[in-house]
């Protein structure tokens, strides 16, 4: 019957069944070979934008969220050292000098006072204590802290990946706003040009006041569409400033146009690769491993604790003879403590550790399923937004040709104003839809890189984060 009771004291015995649902291939991934065009470490360079690359590099150095994640690594490494101290003996040095006064017991005259003597006493000593980790409690606690430190390193990669994707998305929003502003100003100029023409026709008697008013409304509508785009542009520039650790007042972005941005080619590979490629999955895995060791530590607390203590030193009533042969002393002792009744404290702590373990297990399973879902959603978004962009390019070309023909016919007086307004509105709608489709394609591309865990390598990036203060995270 002792076997099941002691099984929790063997390190690594508290590992629950993961029961992961790993598909053989992605539904939206097509038929591609594993590891084909997987994200590069510096995948953002594939967009062929020097300004975006500069922003990415700056964010990885100065972003404050990444700095917080690094500070958390320092704390986790320190906790490893704190928990590891229990596996080593504790040694304390002592030194003492004192004057001792004692009564001799003889009386002095009629007063009855006792005679007394004063003498010095000196001692130097060393005391040591060591807790035998027979059941593995302290080792399990240390390994739990090591896994937590490992999880913090993966957390830094998660924060870094989220930051660079946020930089990319904010930059793409800036480009989209600039493109839409150019479209809005171009349509405003066309609307004002037609308004001038209609006013001339009104003076000549070939257009009515209603025609003038309708076109004035169109001009006002086009002009009112500009401020919301300016809001989007300036707010995303301010968001970029925060991401790179700069004050918005001291930060500018040149931008450009979305048509200058290339889309790097990437395929998802095999779903099983995602378990190692995504830092958030590796983080959840390390957190689960930490809670496994915590359960082992809580279980080992039920067993007896053996404490060894030793003390040695020298003691003398005369400083000159402090280091003489007769001044040396030592003591050795061993103690055992066994919890008998603690108000169910240890049992409750074990239940709590098991609850945390179950929570981390479910979080790990969800992280895996969420990763597969993220890839599928990013793949379908990239595929369909690419198709939408191609169709919108055709629609814009046709709408622009129709508007140019209607404007020419309006000048010749062979078409009414309603037709011109309809073609103008159609062109505006299609141009805005094209800009949105291009933005959606860029956002889908960055989401796919994030979903695939692009921007780090499981062996390269993590090993570059050396432990601090001599702490060594457990290499699982």
């Amino acid at each position: 019957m002792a076997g099941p009771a002691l099984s929790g004291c063997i390190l690594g015995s508290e590992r629950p069944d993961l029961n992961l649902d790993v598909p053989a291939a992605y539904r939206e991934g097509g038929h591609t070979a594993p590891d084909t065009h997987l994200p590069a470490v510096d995948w953002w360079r594939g967009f062929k934008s020097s300004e975006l690359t500069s922003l990415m590099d700056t964010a990885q150095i100065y972003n404050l969220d990444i700095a917080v994640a690094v500070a958390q690594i320092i704390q986790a490494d320190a906790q490893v050292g704190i928990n590891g101290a229990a596996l080593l003996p504790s040694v304390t040095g002592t030194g003492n000098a004192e004057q001792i006064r004692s009564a001799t017991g003889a009386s002095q005259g009629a007063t009855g006072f006792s005679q007394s003597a004063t003498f010095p006493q000196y001692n130097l000593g060393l005391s040591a204590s060591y807790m035998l980790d027979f059941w593995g409690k302290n080792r399990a606690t240390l390994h739990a802290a090591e896994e937590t430190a490992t999880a913090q390193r993966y957390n830094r990669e998660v924060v870094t990946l989220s930051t660079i994707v946020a930089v990319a998305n904010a930059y793409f929003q800036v480009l989209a706003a600039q493109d839409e502003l150019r479209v809005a100003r171009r349509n405003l100029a066309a609307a004002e040009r037609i308004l001038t023409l209609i006013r001339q026709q009104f003076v000549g008697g070939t257009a009515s006041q209603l025609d003038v008013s309708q076109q004035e409304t169109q001009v006002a509508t086009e002009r009112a569409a500009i401020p919301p785009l300016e809001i989007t542009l300036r707010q995303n520039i301010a968001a970029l400033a925060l991401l790179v650790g700069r004050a918005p007042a001291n930060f500018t972005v040149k931008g450009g146009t979305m048509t200058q941005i290339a889309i790097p080619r990437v395929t998802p590979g095999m779903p099983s690769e995602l378990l190692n490629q995504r830092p958030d999955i590796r983080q959840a895995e390390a957190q689960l491993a930490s809670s496994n060791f915590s359960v082992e530590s809580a279980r080992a607390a039920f067993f007896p604790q053996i404490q060894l203590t030793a003390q040695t030193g020298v003691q003398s009533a005369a400083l000159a003879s402090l280091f003489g042969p007769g001044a040396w002393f030592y003591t050795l002792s061993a103690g055992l403590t066994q919890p008998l009744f603690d108000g169910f404290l240890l049992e409750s702590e074990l239940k709590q550790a098991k609850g945390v373990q179950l929570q981390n297990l479910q979080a790990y399973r969800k992280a895996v399923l969420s990763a597969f879902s993220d890839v599928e959603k990013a793949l379908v978004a990239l595929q369909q937004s690419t198709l939408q962009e191609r169709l919108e390019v055709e629609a814009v070309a046709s709408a622009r040709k129709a508007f140019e023909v209607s404007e020419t016919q309006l000048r010749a007086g062979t078409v009414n104003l309603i037709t011109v307004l309809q073609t103008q509105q159609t062109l505006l709608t299609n141009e805005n839809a094209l800009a949105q489709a291009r933005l959606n394609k860029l956002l889908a591309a960055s989401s796919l890189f994030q979903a695939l865990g692009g921007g780090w390598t499981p062996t390269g990036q993590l090993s570059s984060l050396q432990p601090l203060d001599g702490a060594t995270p457990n290499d699982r």
Side-chain angles (χ1 to χ4, degrees), residues 44 47 101 108 147 158 229-230 237 247 253 288 313 320 368 370 373 399 414 456:
W44 51 87
F47 289 110
R101 182 178 181 182
Q108 183 180 4
E147 293 293 348
V158 172
L229 298 176
E230 289 285 356
I237 291 177
V253 173
L288 175 59
V368 173
S370 296
S373 177
T414 60
W456 77 293

Side-chain angles (χ1 to χ4, degrees), residues 8-11 87 132-143 293 296-298 300-301 305:
C9 306
I10 302 175
L11 289 180
L87 294 173
L132 285 180
D133 195 31
F134 187 78
W135 312 107
K137 177 179 181 294
N138 294 334
R139 280 175 294 166
T141 302
L142 173 61
H143 290 324
F293 285 119
E296 293 177 11
S297 176
Q305 306 295 312

Side-chain angles (χ1 to χ4, degrees), residues 274-397:
L274 205 61
L275 301 183
N276 289 326
Q277 190 68 17
R278 288 261 299 222
D280 58 334
I281 294 179
R282 301 296 297 273
Q283 179 188 9
E285 181 183 6
Q287 290 172 337
L288 175 59
S290 176
S291 61
N292 293 342
F293 285 119
S294 295
V295 171
E296 293 177 11
S297 176
R299 191 185 302 279
F302 284 87
F303 298 96
Q305 306 295 312
I306 302 174
Q307 178 84 22
L308 302 179
T309 59
Q311 186 176 11
T312 184
V314 290
Q315 179 175 311
S316 173
L319 186 60
S321 60
L322 182 61
F323 298 99
W328 179 68
F329 70 92
Y330 73 91
T331 62
L332 296 174
S333 64
L336 182 146
T337 59
Q338 169 63 55
L340 297 178
F341 180 74
D342 57 2
F344 305 103
L345 173 64
L346 295 179
E347 183 178 354
S348 298
E349 289 178 344
L350 177 59
K351 289 181 179 179
Q352 182 186 39
K354 286 184 175 181
V356 174
Q357 181 190 44
L358 180 59
Q359 173 184 325
N360 289 338
L361 173 62
Q362 304 302 340
Y364 176 68
R365 290 171 176 167
K366 181 179 179 181
V368 173
L369 293 179
S370 296
F372 296 146
S373 177
D374 291 343
V375 174
E376 295 284 6
K377 290 188 292 185
L379 284 172
V380 69
L382 183 58
Q383 293 169 358
Q384 296 303 314
S385 59
T386 301
L387 174 61
Q388 182 187 10
E389 181 193 24
R390 185 169 67 249
L391 296 175
E392 290 294 348
V393 167
E394 298 174 357
V396 167

Side-chain angles (χ1 to χ4, degrees), residues 222-285:
E222 299 285 356
R223 189 175 288 116
I226 293 178
L229 298 176
E230 289 285 356
I231 293 175
T232 300
L233 174 62
R234 298 178 189 182
Q235 286 184 342
N236 278 282
I237 291 177
L240 276 173
L242 175 61
L243 289 169
V244 299
R246 297 279 301 279
N250 302 326
F251 178 79
T252 57
V253 173
K254 180 180 178 181
T257 175
M258 289 186 291
T259 58
Q260 297 176 346
I261 302 296
I263 301 294
R265 184 183 176 189
V266 59
T267 52
M270 302 298 292
S272 57
E273 292 293 326
L274 205 61
L275 301 183
N276 289 326
Q277 190 68 17
R278 288 261 299 222
D280 58 334
I281 294 179
R282 301 296 297 273
Q283 179 188 9
E285 181 183 6

Side-chain angles (χ1 to χ4, degrees), residues 410-427:
L410 180 64
R411 293 182 183 276
T414 60
V415 70
N416 57 35
L417 180 59
I418 295 178
T419 301
V420 177
L421 292 177
Q422 289 175 342
T423 57
Q424 183 181 7
Q425 186 61 43
T426 300
L427 175 60

